Amino acid sequence: MPVPTASLRTNVRGQVLEPGDDGYDAARLVYLGGIDQHPAVVVRPADAADVAAVVKLAAGTGTPLAVKGGGHSPFCVTEGILIDLSSLNGHEVDTAARTAWADAGLTAGAFTAATAEHGLVTGFGDTAGVGLGGITTGGGIGYLVRKHGLTIDDLLAAEVVTADGAVRAVDADTEPELFWAIRGGGGNFGVVTRMKFRLHELPAVTGGLLVLPATPESIAGFVKHADEAPEEVSAIANVFPCPPMPFVPEEWHGSPVIMATVVYAGVGEAAEEALTPFRELATPIADMIGEKPFPEVYSNMPADYHPVAVTRNLFTDDIDADDAALLLARIAESTSSMPAVQIRVLGGAMARVPADATAFAHRSRRIMVNIAAFYTGSADEHTRWADDLTEALQKGAPGVYVNFLGDDSETRIREAYPDETWARLRRAKRDYDPANLFRSNSNIPPA
C-alpha cells in the first residue's frame, strides 16, 4: 500500500524523511545491532499535533505504523511510517513543586542531568541513553527502585495521542483507565508525548562500580546482602568473563567476575556502613564506589555501539549458591563472545505499591535476571543456551519484564502480566485502540 508521504508533508510541521534524505539513516537506526529496517518514511514530529496527524493518516490509510521512543526502541521495525520521538526532547522543572514535565523523546541521562542541577531526581533505569517514553510505559527499574519505587510510581500525568488521533491529558482523575494502562502496558495504547514526574531531593549518592571475583559464594552473598540492605541501596550485579578494562588487573581478564554497580541514595557514615558487606564478600578487584552526583552512576554507551545479542529476562524468588554454581558453569560452557547474567535485587518501595495499582504487576518478586549472549554469525546456538539457562534459573511463577522482552516477545508476552491484569489491559486496548494500530511492540491484542 502506498505511503501518503505528500499528505504527511502537508500536515506535519516537523521533519518528514524518505530514503536518501539527509538524516534518514540516523533516524531509522536503533540501538541493537542486526536490525536493518528501511521504513518508507520517518517523521520527526515538532509536537503532539504532528503525532496526531501521523496517527490519523496511518489509521485512515491502513499504513503500518511504528514508534521509536528516542532510545533503544527494539520493536520500532516497520516498512510503513516510523515516528521518531527523539525530536521531542524538551523539559520544564518546577523546583518548588518538585515536579517536572518532560517530552517522551528525552533520554534518561539528559533529564537526570537537568534535574540534578537542582538536587532533584527521578529514578529510571541504569543507562543514560534510554528514552523516557519507552522505559516509563514499561515500568522503569533502576538505581532508586528500592528507595522510591518504579519510574511509573513517580509518573503523575501524561499527554497521550490515541489511535483516533485525539491528544489526551491523562492522570489519576482524568482518563484513569488509560493512565493505569500506560504504567506498565508499554506502547499499546497510544503515543505518549509528554510526562509529568515527581522529583525527590537527592543532592548526591554513594555508589559506583565494584568488581569482585565471581564464585558461587560471592554471587549468593551479593544477592543476600542486596536483599537485606537498607532500602537506600539498589544494586545491579553482572556476572561474566571479565573483558580487558584499564581499571582491572590483566591477570583477571577472561576470568569470571561480578561487575556490580551499587548505589546508596545518600552520603556519609550510613552509606559506608551499608556498602561495607558488599566489599567484604571478597578482596575487591576494583572499587570505584564514592560520593558523586546521581547522573554519574548511569552507564553511557558510545553512539556507534550496536551490540548483537540474544537476551532473556525472568523474575525469580531466590538465587542461592547452587544457582550461582549453575550459572557460572553455563557461562563457562557458552561459545558466545560475551555470555553474561545480570541480577537485580528488588523489594522495598516497589513492593509496597498494590499489584493492581498499575499495569506492572510483579511487585512481590524479589529478583530480576537478565541473560545475554553476544555473538556474530548464527543465533541458534546462543538462543538455545539463553532459553535453557532461563528455564534453569526460574523459581516461582513464570514472569518477565515487558521492557526486556526481545525476540521471545510474541511467545512470552503473557508472562509479563497476570491473568486479571492481562484481561484489564485487553479491555483498555479495545477501548483505545480497537484496530490494533499500535502493534509494533510487545503486543496486547484488543479484547
Side-chain angles (χ1 to χ4, degrees):
M1 179 176 293
V3 174
T5 308
S7 295
L8 287 171
R9 293 192 185 280
T10 300
N11 290 283
V12 170
R13 295 193 304 115
Q15 287 185 303
V16 178
L17 304 172
E18 295 180 274
D21 290 346
D22 289 342
Y24 171 83
D25 284 331
R28 72 180 179 85
L29 196 64
V30 296
Y31 167 73
L32 289 178
I35 300 176
D36 188 26
Q37 62 163 344
H38 292 82
V41 61
V42 179
V43 177
R44 284 182 152 170
D47 51 26
D50 273 3
V51 174
V54 177
V55 168
K56 287 179 182 178
L57 277 169
T61 61
T63 306
L65 177 69
V67 180
K68 181 181 175 184
H72 291 180
S73 302
F75 293 109
C76 66
V77 178
T78 182
E79 295 179 353
I81 303 171
L82 174 64
I83 300 176
D84 176 15
L85 292 179
S86 63
S87 55
L88 301 183
N89 53 25
H91 66 274
E92 302 168 15
V93 180
D94 185 336
T95 56
R98 292 188 182 176
T99 62
W101 277 99
D103 290 347
L106 192 68
T107 64
F111 178 88
T112 302
T115 60
E117 291 181 2
H118 308 284
L120 301 170
V121 301
T122 299
F124 294 102
D126 62 313
T127 305
V130 297
L132 295 192
I135 191 171
T136 301
T137 54
I141 300 175
Y143 292 123
L144 297 177
V145 67
R146 286 164 51 83
K147 177 64 174 176
H148 295 303
L150 302 166
T151 303
I152 54 174
D153 299 332
D154 284 327
L155 183 66
L156 302 175
E159 179 183 78
V160 186
V161 179
T162 46
D164 57 0
V167 180
R168 301 174 188 261
V170 305
D171 58 27
D173 298 316
T174 306
E175 307 267 13
E177 196 66 8
L178 180 57
F179 187 54
W180 174 86
I182 64 169
R183 288 178 293 158
N188 277 281
F189 308 95
V191 183
V192 176
T193 51
R194 293 181 77 222
M195 293 164 290
K196 183 181 182 181
F197 294 104
R198 178 187 297 110
L199 299 171
H200 302 276
E201 186 174 358
L202 187 61
V205 299
T206 306
L209 276 178
L210 179 66
V211 185
L212 302 168
T215 66
E217 293 74 24
S218 64
I219 295 169
F222 189 98
V223 172
K224 179 177 182 292
H225 290 322
D227 186 50
E228 295 175 351
E231 291 181 3
E232 285 78 5
V233 175
S234 291
I236 299 177
N238 297 285
V239 182
F240 50 48
C242 188
M245 292 184 171
F247 54 86
V248 174
E250 187 175 349
E251 62 265 26
W252 283 100
H253 294 177
S255 297
V257 298
I258 302 171
M259 189 167 292
T261 301
V262 186
V263 177
Y264 182 96
V267 298
E269 185 176 339
E272 293 298 325
E273 182 179 343
L275 299 179
T276 294
F278 297 96
R279 290 168 156 145
E280 292 180 344
L281 283 167
T283 301
I285 300 167
D287 185 345
M288 303 169 72
I289 294 174
E291 294 184 11
K292 60 194 64 177
F294 182 65
E296 292 186 14
V297 304
Y298 280 139
S299 62
N300 288 278
M301 298 300 178
D304 59 353
Y305 179 61
H306 299 288
V308 178
V310 174
T311 61
R312 294 292 182 263
N313 173 267
L314 67 143
F315 290 99
T316 188
D317 295 334
D318 187 35
I319 292 180
D320 58 24
D322 289 341
D323 300 315
L326 181 144
L327 71 86
L328 284 171
R330 296 291 179 88
I331 287 174
E333 294 167 2
S334 172
T335 60
S336 161
S337 60
M338 177 57 71
V341 176
Q342 182 187 85
I343 303 167
R344 305 189 187 206
V345 177
L346 307 174
M350 164 187 157
R352 287 195 292 275
V353 176
D356 62 355
T358 65
F360 180 99
H362 300 293
R363 300 283 183 171
S364 64
R365 303 312 292 268
R366 289 183 58 222
I367 298 168
M368 185 173 73
V369 176
N370 288 314
I371 296 168
F374 297 83
Y375 70 93
T376 57
S378 172
D380 293 348
E381 178 182 356
H382 308 297
T383 299
R384 287 191 296 271
W385 176 86
D387 287 339
D388 289 346
L389 185 51
T390 300
E391 183 177 354
L393 292 177
Q394 183 75 64
K395 291 183 181 179
V400 65
Y401 176 37
V402 71
N403 273 357
F404 286 157
L405 280 169
D407 61 2
D408 57 340
S409 176
E410 187 173 344
T411 58
R412 299 190 66 204
I413 180 66
R414 281 294 286 106
E415 293 181 34
Y417 305 104
D419 289 345
E420 291 184 7
T421 304
W422 177 255
R424 186 175 173 183
L425 284 168
R426 290 195 65 196
R427 291 193 296 270
K429 180 75 168 180
R430 176 195 62 202
D431 294 341
Y432 289 100
D433 184 17
N436 205 8
L437 176 67
F438 303 112
R439 59 183 179 274
S440 184
N441 49 35
S442 290
N443 194 236
I444 299 168

